[in-house]
Amino acid sequence: MDLNKRLREHTGLTPTDQCLRDYFLRYPERAARMNTRQLAEATFTSPSAVVRFCRKFGYQGLQDFKGAYFSAIPDAPAFDLPDGDFPFQADTPPDVLVRDLLKLEEGTLHRLASTLDPAAFDRAAAMLGGAGSIELCAAGSGLYLLEEFAFRLMKFGFRVNVISNSVNLSYIANQMDPTHCLLLLSYTGMNEAIGSAMRFARQHGTPVLLITGHADSPAARLSDCVLLLPLLESNDNKISTFSSTIAAKAMLDLLFARLFQNNYSANCDFVRRDAARLSVRRPVGFQDGINGTSHSR
């Protein structure tokens, strides 16, 4: 197991260790240029804490630790990213704001590509592709991403249910069984709605696939498969979900593409037939909207 994955999945870390771990995962570009003293200052820890942290993972000091860490993601320092929580300030010029936000999004996707576990991705796609029904659950902005993901899947014959509230969950939960798959989207892995959906899934023997930023979260420890997002944001102390939203959307795009491949010829035929149908209907639909009328077909 490479060091990046060990960092994210280690469950025996002290609060000081977690602070150092999170700094490496969020700012590898900065950590790559630091010595022990500089890293201690950046994380409000101490040089001795940095050394103890490295030794916990089997390395004598920071240089050995960094050598192992960056050998697993050799191109990670190519992007020195803006802060994911506060990527701009009140006095940031518009051109700099545009540059930095786009750089954060580009760097997020670059980081996702560098750290995505191919084995976990293949397993996730197999879980979804083999399920008789897919249940989707998220909170906040993640719910909108899953609703769009569900729409795309349903177009190509997948049976999908979106869990949007507790009442909805109570009905869907009664349909769960081992032939279903529950896909959870939660950056923190600690949301109450996520916990409720997972509890029902475990009661009914339904496999659970989690997309999250935290491999050591309660939800991750109880999931059958975990796909990790880049850890570039705090859980709550941030302006918005600039990084996590684009990473989650990309992960769902990757899963959709892999599922589409499973029946590629038939799915492409459907796309072409649907495009032809819409090309005839869309001009009429636009005129209907302008005129305030409707036509039955």
Side-chain angles (χ1 to χ4, degrees), residues 104-116 121 124-125 128 141-142 144-146 148-149 152 183 185 209 211-212 227-230 232 241-259:
L104 177 61
E105 293 191 354
E106 182 183 8
T108 296
L109 296 177
H110 177 84
R111 192 75 60 79
L112 178 63
S114 297
T115 59
L116 181 62
F121 177 71
L128 295 175
S141 60
Y144 300 114
L145 293 177
L146 288 186
E148 193 266 344
F149 182 61
R152 287 190 285 169
L183 190 161
L185 174 59
L209 165 61
I211 299 175
T212 186
L227 293 177
L228 293 173
L229 304 177
L232 295 172
T241 57
F242 294 115
S243 174
S244 59
T245 294
I246 196 169
K249 173 64 165 59
M251 188 70 82
L252 293 173
D253 285 345
L254 293 171
L255 288 171
F256 171 77
R258 188 68 188 88
L259 294 174

Side-chain angles (χ1 to χ4, degrees), residues 43-166:
T43 55
F44 302 99
T45 59
S46 67
S48 60
V50 172
V51 174
R52 285 196 300 270
F53 172 78
C54 295
R55 288 179 177 172
K56 182 167 289 190
F57 287 89
Y59 302 95
Q60 289 301 306
L62 183 59
Q63 288 305 113
D64 292 338
F65 182 93
K66 289 197 298 184
Y69 182 76
F70 291 114
S71 67
I73 46 172
D75 53 351
F79 283 85
D80 194 359
L81 302 181
D83 186 282
D85 297 329
F86 292 88
F88 58 89
Q89 304 300 319
D91 57 352
T92 300
D95 60 327
V96 176
L97 183 148
V98 170
R99 182 199 67 196
D100 285 354
L101 277 184
L102 293 180
K103 185 177 183 181
L104 177 61
E105 293 191 354
E106 182 183 8
T108 296
L109 296 177
H110 177 84
R111 192 75 60 79
L112 178 63
S114 297
T115 59
L116 181 62
D117 183 343
F121 177 71
D122 287 346
R123 186 180 181 195
M127 289 172 63
L128 295 175
S133 177
I134 301 171
E135 277 66 62
L136 306 176
C137 182
S141 60
L143 183 59
Y144 300 114
L145 293 177
L146 288 186
E147 287 176 340
E148 193 266 344
F149 182 61
F151 174 74
R152 287 190 285 169
L153 290 181
M154 288 188 289
K155 283 176 61 178
F156 297 97
F158 289 88
R159 181 183 172 191
V160 185
N161 295 305
V162 179
I163 300 171
S164 55
N165 54 60
S166 59

